[in-house]
Each structure stands twice: as C-alpha cells, then as structure tokens.
Amino acid sequence: MTGTMVEEVMAELAALEDPRMREVNERHGDDHGVNLTKLRAIAKRLKTQPDLARDLWRTEDTAARLLALLICRPKAFERDELDTMLREARTPKVHDWLVNYVVKKSPHVEDLRRAWFADPDPVIASAGWALTTERVAKKPDGLDLPGLLDAIEADMKDAPERLQWAMNHCLAQIGIEHPEYRARAIDIGERLEVLKDYPTPPNCTSPFAPAWIGEMVRRRQEKEEKQEEGLSRM
C-alpha cells in the first residue's frame, strides 16, 4: 500500500515540476522545480504519515524529501537516524528543513547539537551552529557565550559559506538577545566585515551582524515604548 502511495505522490510531484522554477532553485543548490506552496498543500492533505515519509526520503528526490519532512513524526526518529539523514541531505533546502522542522522537535536535539557543532565537515557543523543559535535565543543557560564569541572571532572570516552563515547568525543572535555581550558582538562583526556588502532588498534587514543587531534592538525598543505609552494612557 505504501509503495503504491509513493508512486502516486511521486507522480503528483512530477506533474508540478516547473523548469523555470528549477532553474532559479539550482542557482541556490536546490535541484527541484516544485512550488513550495503547492508542496505544502500536498502535505496538508496527506497529514502525518511516518511510514510514507520514510519511503519518500529513501527516493533521494529533493522534492520528495521536502514533503517527507512535512509529513513525518519528528519524535519517531532515533538519534543515529537523524544523524544519517543530515549527512544524506544533499541540498540546502532539505538540510534547513530537516534541522528546523524535525531535529529541533526531537528529544535528541541537544545530543545532536553538540556532536554536529564539533564535526569536521563544515556543512554538518553548520547544523550544530544553527541549533546553538536556537539555544542562544531560547535556552541560553549552560551555554558559554564568551566562548562562542571567541570561536566566531577566530574562525568565521575564513569559514566555508554555509558554516559562515550559521556562525554569523549566532553572532547576531548573541548581540540581539544578550545586552551584556552586545558591544563585543558588534565589534566582532565590524572588524570581520562578513556579509557587509551583501545585497539586501529594500525593507529587508541586512545579514551584516552589526546592522542586524542594531535593527532588531531598535524594533524591540520601539515596541516596548509603544506598550509603555499605551499603559500610561490607561
């Protein structure tokens, strides 16, 4: 039954393939041409189906794997299974969805964060940094924030692209969430100049850490001031 469903789903995904979208996606390393809104609609219809999700993952097709990550049950995966899946994730989108939609909801997330953070493969290490950034924002207790800043200061400038992006995000998050380290985070960003000249569309926040930190802090302060103003009028 599952085999039949896999064939049906693969046929449906193939029917959605758009050559122009594939061309755009391939510029970012993603080898699929399926509109993600339509893919999410399929996932909504299928709902949670762990067995089908595993079968779709085994096809090695990028669109099928993205769909698998939307219909799986994150807590059903064993620790080593998730580690293998990350190493099998060939494209950036599959990598990102696996980390954000599955691993972050797993009971093995902290174990994997530590293991991946120290992995010699920069792509795997980038997942460890992404999970560390999540902790910086939500559960910083126990993290060595000065140590993270030391590592970023020493290694981010020459890190491979995906790892550099992840480290830069962590740098920005430390500066945004932890005022006591904000000045140092901004100083590191200004000296390293990573992503300083990254083309940023109008009305979007630059990924350059000092600008990112400044903008997010400004927005929070503005929100707090409006809330205080509203309370004073009550």
Side-chain angles (χ1 to χ4, degrees):
M1 185 67 178
T2 306
T4 302
M5 287 194 67
V6 170
E7 293 176 4
E8 292 174 353
V9 171
M10 294 300 292
E12 188 171 2
L13 291 173
L16 293 175
E17 179 76 17
D18 181 340
R20 289 173 296 179
M21 184 164 292
R22 174 178 283 270
E23 183 180 348
V24 171
N25 288 334
E26 285 180 342
R27 294 176 197 159
H28 304 287
D30 290 310
D31 55 352
H32 77 91
V34 178
N35 181 290
L36 295 182
T37 299
K38 294 179 179 178
L39 186 141
R40 290 179 185 278
I42 296 174
K44 186 176 181 180
R45 188 187 75 231
L46 292 174
K47 300 181 181 179
T48 302
Q49 297 196 45
D51 292 338
L52 178 58
R54 281 189 166 91
D55 288 340
L56 288 172
W57 182 270
R58 282 193 283 267
T59 67
E60 299 185 10
D61 178 83
T62 293
R65 283 185 163 179
L66 292 173
L67 180 59
L69 296 172
L70 294 177
I71 66 171
C72 73
R73 183 173 287 116
K75 293 181 180 179
F77 293 108
E78 297 296 332
R79 182 256 186 225
D80 290 347
E81 190 174 9
L82 290 171
D83 182 72
T84 298
M85 290 170 71
L86 185 74
R87 296 175 194 281
E88 292 175 344
R90 299 175 295 100
T91 66
K93 185 67 72 176
V94 172
H95 175 108
D96 291 343
W97 281 24
L98 175 62
V99 172
N100 288 295
Y101 296 167
V102 181
V103 178
K104 286 182 180 180
K105 300 176 182 178
S106 167
H108 308 293
V109 60
E110 183 59 16
D111 183 20
L112 290 169
R113 181 190 74 82
R114 292 176 178 175
W116 291 342
F117 187 89
D119 199 279
D121 184 331
V123 175
I124 304 301
S126 73
W129 276 91
L131 295 174
T132 299
T133 300
E134 179 87 352
R135 274 204 57 188
V136 166
K138 297 181 178 179
K139 297 180 180 179
D141 291 348
L143 285 180
D144 179 7
L145 297 181
L148 290 173
L149 290 173
D150 289 343
I152 292 167
E153 187 171 17
D155 302 329
M156 183 173 73
K157 182 74 172 180
D158 299 316
E161 184 179 8
R162 285 186 65 79
L163 180 55
Q164 186 183 70
W165 271 90
M167 296 177 82
N168 183 71
H169 189 183
C170 190
L171 174 65
Q173 206 67 52
I174 291 173
I176 293 164
E177 301 291 344
H178 302 278
E180 66 273 32
Y181 300 112
R182 186 169 296 153
R184 186 183 174 198
I186 291 173
D187 177 66
I188 291 172
E190 288 176 341
R191 283 188 289 105
L192 298 185
E193 297 187 332
V194 169
L195 301 176
K196 182 177 182 179
D197 298 320
Y198 190 82
T200 305
N203 301 319
C204 290
T205 302
S206 169
F208 178 48
W212 190 351
I213 293 167
E215 176 61 18
M216 296 308 296
V217 170
R218 183 195 66 77
R219 290 183 190 179
R220 288 188 179 184
Q221 291 175 340
E222 188 177 84
K223 183 178 179 180
E224 290 171 0
E225 288 171 0
K226 287 182 178 179
Q227 289 175 339
E228 291 177 1
E229 183 179 345
L231 289 173
S232 66
R233 292 177 178 177
M234 293 176 66

